[in-house]
């Protein structure tokens, strides 16, 4: 297994099965963040992740963290909070604000550089990248964004500026996604936070098989149309 250098003039990726074991899933470097290359990557179970100033790094870890939307773990405290939630939740109302929030609201730094923001905004304009927004009155207090692959959604990042805001985004999205035929959410790599929400690990081979099947399926035509998904009661 060796790290592959991508050409800026060829969109082809090596097989994910050739990714390094250490660091887990590192497959290639270089290339660019053009919409065509990003879509090619997602269709093959590959995603970019790198630090500012470093070359673009492409990953396909084994195992893969996934969340079955119908199995989102709703804790008792979150259930009580959501029953009296002050938040309104929308889809595709403010993609730019959400990705900026994901980039800036991180104490540990971020891989979401200006080039990444521009790249995913292009994907959004082409109808492939989407955002979920959480509002308190007219203030954006949380949200998440990712890339759609049929009935699979590749979650990229989330942020929260108020209590339980990002959990609200994920909860409402999972319910709506599952009710509309959504089958799986990609969380990339398992951590304590995603595990607490119900994410589990799946082998890369099983993930790639699921991806190939699910990206051929379709959600209802209006699923990603900008709309309100949840309104506070009262």
């Amino acid at each position: 297994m060796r790290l592959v250098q991508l050409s800026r003039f060829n969109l082809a990726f090596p097989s994910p099965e050739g990714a390094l074991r250490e660091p887990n899933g590192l497959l290639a470097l270089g290339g660019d963040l053009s919409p065509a290359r990003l879509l090619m990557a997602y269709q093959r179970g590959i995603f970019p992740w790198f630090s500012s100033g470093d070359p673009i790094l492409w990953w396909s870890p084994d195992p893969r963290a996934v969340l079955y939307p119908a199995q989102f773990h709703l804790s008792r405290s979150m259930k009580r909070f959501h029953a009296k939630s002050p938040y309104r939740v929308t889809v595709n109302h403010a993609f730019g604000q959400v990705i900026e929030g994901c980039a800036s609201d991180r104490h540990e730094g971020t891989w979401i550089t200006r080039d990444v923001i521009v790249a995913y905004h292009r994907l959004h304009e082409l109808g492939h990248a989407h955002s979920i927004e959480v509002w308190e009155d007219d203030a954006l207090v949380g949200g998440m964004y990712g890339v759609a692959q049929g009935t699979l959604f590749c979650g990229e990042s989330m942020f929260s500026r108020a209590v339980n805001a990002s959990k609200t985004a994920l909860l409402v999205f999972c319910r709506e996604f599952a009710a509309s035929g959504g089958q799986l959410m990609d969380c990339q790599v398992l951590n304590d936070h995603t595990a607490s929400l119900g994410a589990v690990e799946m082998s890369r081979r099983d993930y790639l098989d699921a991806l190939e099947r699910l990206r051929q399926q379709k959600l209802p035509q209006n699923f990603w149309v900008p709309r309100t998904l949840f309104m506070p009661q009262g």
Side-chain angles (χ1 to χ4, degrees), residues 6 11 20 27 32 54 58 61 65 69 71 83 116-117 140 142 155-156 176-177 187 189 191 212 224-226 232:
L6 300 182
L11 297 179
L20 300 178
L27 177 67
D32 57 30
D54 289 344
W58 302 89
Q71 296 178 14
V116 169
I117 290 171
L140 182 69
E156 279 298 319
E176 188 75 13
F177 190 51
C187 302
V189 179
N191 57 41
E212 181 61 27
W224 295 114
V225 171

Side-chain angles (χ1 to χ4, degrees), residues 171-215:
L171 167 62
V172 171
F173 172 74
C174 281
R175 286 180 172 177
E176 188 75 13
F177 190 51
S180 299
Q183 299 293 310
L184 196 65
M185 185 169 175
D186 172 29
C187 302
Q188 299 178 347
V189 179
L190 195 68
N191 57 41
D192 290 343
H193 178 62
T194 54
S196 73
L197 300 175
V200 296
E201 290 187 326
M202 172 185 285
S203 73
R204 178 168 55 216
R205 182 69 266 159
D206 286 347
Y207 175 78
L208 294 176
D209 289 345
L211 171 63
E212 181 61 27
R213 183 179 75 257
L214 298 179
R215 71 184 187 87

Side-chain angles (χ1 to χ4, degrees), residues 5 18 37 40 42 47-48 53 59-60 62 66 74 76-77 91-93 99 108 137 145 177-179 183 207 222:
Q5 171 78 52
R37 191 183 299 273
M40 183 78 71
Y42 282 98
F47 59 88
W59 304 76
S60 185
D62 186 18
V66 298
L74 184 61
R76 291 179 183 177
S77 60
V91 57
N92 281 336
H93 274 233
I99 195 170
E108 71 275 17
D137 298 323
Y145 78 95
F177 190 51
Q183 299 293 310
Y207 175 78
N222 68 341

Side-chain angles (χ1 to χ4, degrees), residues 74-153:
L74 184 61
S75 66
R76 291 179 183 177
S77 60
M78 184 62 192
K79 186 175 183 179
R80 289 193 298 270
F81 178 87
H82 191 61
K84 299 180 180 179
S85 176
Y87 303 142
R88 174 171 54 94
V89 182
T90 59
V91 57
N92 281 336
H93 274 233
F95 184 90
Q97 288 178 253
V98 168
I99 195 170
E100 292 277 2
C102 290
S104 62
D105 287 48
R106 292 191 177 278
H107 300 300
E108 71 275 17
T110 181
W111 73 279
I112 306 173
T113 63
R114 184 54 45 189
D115 287 345
V116 169
I117 290 171
V118 169
Y120 280 82
H121 218 292
R122 287 177 183 154
L123 278 191
H124 173 65
E125 291 170 344
L126 292 169
H128 301 290
H130 305 284
S131 59
I132 307 299
E133 303 89 17
V134 179
W135 309 87
E136 187 167 18
D137 298 323
D138 292 326
L140 182 69
V141 295
M144 55 182 268
Y145 78 95
V147 177
Q149 291 287 297
T151 57
L152 186 154
F153 185 70

Side-chain angles (χ1 to χ4, degrees), residues 38 95 164 166:
L38 283 171
F95 184 90
N164 289 330
S166 60

